Amino acid sequence: MKTYYIMNAKGKNDYLSIINENESGFMACIYRDEDGYEETIENFMSRELFEMCLRTGYIVEAEEKKAGATA
């Protein structure tokens, strides 16, 4: 299961984890934490939307962000 950070406004710690994958897309679990308020949402994400989010930098794989931060 891969985890991705969601790039957003400061003060928010949002990320998503891929739960399951099929040919049309991904079942994702989105975790949100805003000022101590936590929310978990499970939703389907089409493959096209997921790939667009990766290309634009809206989501970044957790390991990639850590590697970039230490360089």
Side-chain angles (χ1 to χ4, degrees):
M1 179 166 60
K2 289 191 176 184
T3 299
Y4 298 84
Y5 291 107
I6 301 171
M7 300 297 121
N8 53 29
K10 292 181 181 180
K12 295 184 180 181
N13 298 312
D14 300 350
Y15 62 96
L16 70 84
S17 294
I18 302 300
I19 299 170
N20 198 1
E21 177 181 357
N22 62 36
E23 58 241 12
S24 61
F26 305 89
M27 182 56 87
C29 186
I30 300 170
Y31 303 93
R32 293 187 168 160
D33 181 1
E34 185 175 357
D35 298 326
Y37 175 74
E38 296 179 11
E39 181 180 24
T40 303
I41 302 166
E42 288 188 18
N43 209 343
F44 179 79
M45 187 176 206
S46 72
R47 188 169 295 280
E48 292 81 16
L49 177 60
F50 181 80
E51 290 173 1
M52 182 178 66
C53 289
L54 279 175
R55 279 194 313 272
T56 61
Y58 185 70
I59 60 173
V60 178
E61 191 170 350
E63 291 80 25
E64 290 178 15
K65 186 171 182 182
K66 287 180 185 176
T70 59

